[in-house]
Amino acid sequence: MSELSREVLKYFESQGYDINEIAAEIDNLKVEVIRDFLKKSDDDKIYVIKRSGNLEEYIPEKIARSIKNAADRNDKQLNSSDVKILIKDVEKSMKEMNRKVFRTDEIKEYVKNALVSEGYSQIYDSYVSYVQAQN
């Protein structure tokens, strides 16, 4: 165990945290530390913390592919302009947060919100199933 890990554990124990609270705080801590580090950066890139914990640059095409896959599973077709509108809605939600780093689950929520707000309820249902199958 590193010195930092020992100090963090000591802090959580002194605060009476249980294991679930510790896990949640550590997840939040990762986002906060990366966010604060990126605030110092001059680039305008957006990053995603994947379920694995890896940090990747945000790639809108990945969102587009997941939306298209969900539509295909429901035998619905989306043209590229529909997908672009949905991506813009997702990116608007991200921009409103004024951050450079997001967890994958946050982006999935933005996608679901965009599908609902743009009237794609059948694709929303497929997207929820698609996301659950990915987990």
Side-chain angles (χ1 to χ4, degrees):
M1 180 182 280
S2 72
E3 183 179 335
L4 177 59
S5 295
R6 278 191 295 278
E7 290 299 316
V8 169
L9 181 58
K10 190 170 28 172
Y11 170 79
F12 286 136
E13 287 173 342
S14 73
Q15 298 298 312
Y17 282 62
D18 68 26
I19 190 67
N20 292 320
E21 292 169 321
I22 291 171
E25 285 295 322
I26 289 173
D27 283 346
N28 290 334
L29 180 64
K30 183 174 188 172
V31 172
E32 290 173 10
V33 168
I34 292 169
R35 180 195 64 215
D36 290 347
F37 179 81
L38 290 173
K39 276 183 183 177
K40 299 174 190 173
S41 171
D42 289 338
D43 73 28
D44 290 332
K45 294 178 184 174
I46 301 293
Y47 295 90
V48 178
I49 298 177
K50 308 299 283 182
R51 285 188 314 257
S52 65
N54 292 338
L55 185 68
E56 291 184 5
E57 188 174 336
Y58 166 73
I59 301 170
E61 291 79 18
K62 287 186 175 184
I63 307 290
R65 186 177 32 226
S66 68
I67 293 169
K68 288 177 189 175
N69 288 342
D72 290 347
R73 285 179 66 154
N74 202 24
D75 295 324
K76 301 288 181 194
Q77 294 299 313
L78 286 176
N79 61 43
S80 59
S81 63
D82 292 332
V83 174
K84 285 180 184 176
I85 289 168
L86 291 165
I87 296 296
K88 283 186 191 259
D89 286 355
V90 169
E91 291 176 345
K92 180 182 177 203
S93 295
M94 293 168 71
K95 191 172 195 93
E96 287 172 356
M97 297 300 294
N98 197 29
R99 296 182 358 220
K100 290 185 177 187
V101 63
F102 296 87
R103 289 190 299 268
T104 301
D105 60 322
E106 291 177 295
I107 295 174
K108 289 176 183 175
E109 286 300 314
Y110 299 147
V111 171
K112 291 191 280 188
N113 292 340
L115 288 167
V116 169
S117 70
E118 295 294 340
Y120 296 105
S121 59
Q122 290 179 328
I123 296 173
Y124 168 88
D125 294 337
S126 293
Y127 182 79
V128 170
S129 297
Y130 175 77
V131 166
Q132 289 173 343
Q134 296 296 307
N135 293 336

